[in-house]
Amino acid sequence: MPISFRLARFRFTVCAKDHIRFPAYKGAVFRGGFGYAFKKIVCVVKGKPCDNCMLKQKCIYAYIFETPPPEDAGMLRLYPKVPHPFVIEPPADEKLLYTPGESFPFNLILIGKAIEYLPYFIYTFTELGRQGIGKGRGQI
């Protein structure tokens, strides 16, 4: 039986407005900041745990971060949650400090239904840039 699998990779290039200081593993900054900003943007019932939310079945945040297995899943049906349907690939260089005016790329990989939510990811990255990232919360 052929398996259907959709994957899309998007490359973003951002420019530092302030000094951006990353830790040795830049992915932690992107992933942590993104998760917080994403929930703030898409959650309708603000501040309540997802497990007890009556909107959980249709919620974009719950789908992206509390991903349930597909209803017709074979192997994954025994698990309450499956791996998130996205990957953020931080800048691949070893540089930890970016000065104002310097740009750097990062990639976003979306898997399956998450591809349909690309506008939410773009908007969240825009908001994350306004909030700032890294030590000192430098804006991008």
Side-chain angles (χ1 to χ4, degrees):
M1 179 167 112
I3 296 174
S4 176
F5 186 79
R6 295 184 316 142
L7 178 121
R9 186 174 189 215
F10 303 93
R11 185 170 190 82
F12 294 83
T13 300
V14 295
C15 183
K17 291 182 180 176
D18 300 318
H19 284 88
I20 308 287
R21 293 185 194 284
F22 285 107
Y25 178 63
K26 298 173 195 167
V29 168
F30 279 91
R31 170 59 180 79
F34 176 81
Y36 178 79
F38 195 79
K39 185 165 190 172
K40 187 175 176 184
I41 288 167
V42 303
C43 181
V44 176
V45 295
K46 312 285 185 219
K48 294 188 179 180
C50 294
D51 290 338
N52 300 324
C53 181
M54 66 185 213
L55 301 175
K56 182 178 179 180
Q57 298 303 318
K58 297 294 181 184
C59 175
I60 296 169
Y61 180 84
Y63 176 75
I64 298 298
F65 284 96
E66 306 285 333
T67 315
E71 291 179 14
D72 60 348
M75 294 186 296
L76 297 174
R77 72 181 180 284
L78 301 176
Y79 297 94
K81 296 178 179 100
V82 297
H84 302 319
F86 76 96
V87 175
I88 299 172
E89 294 178 323
D93 61 21
E94 294 183 18
K95 189 172 183 171
L96 300 180
L97 175 64
Y98 292 88
T99 57
E102 283 188 280
S103 62
F104 55 91
F106 67 93
N107 298 315
L108 171 67
I109 299 170
L110 298 177
I111 302 159
K113 182 180 169 183
I115 297 168
E116 298 169 25
Y117 299 132
L118 175 62
Y120 291 94
F121 282 83
I122 293 170
Y123 184 72
T124 301
F125 285 127
T126 301
E127 287 302 305
L128 184 58
R130 286 188 191 120
Q131 292 172 17
I133 61 171
K135 188 175 182 180
R137 298 237 179 244
Q139 291 187 333
I140 52 175

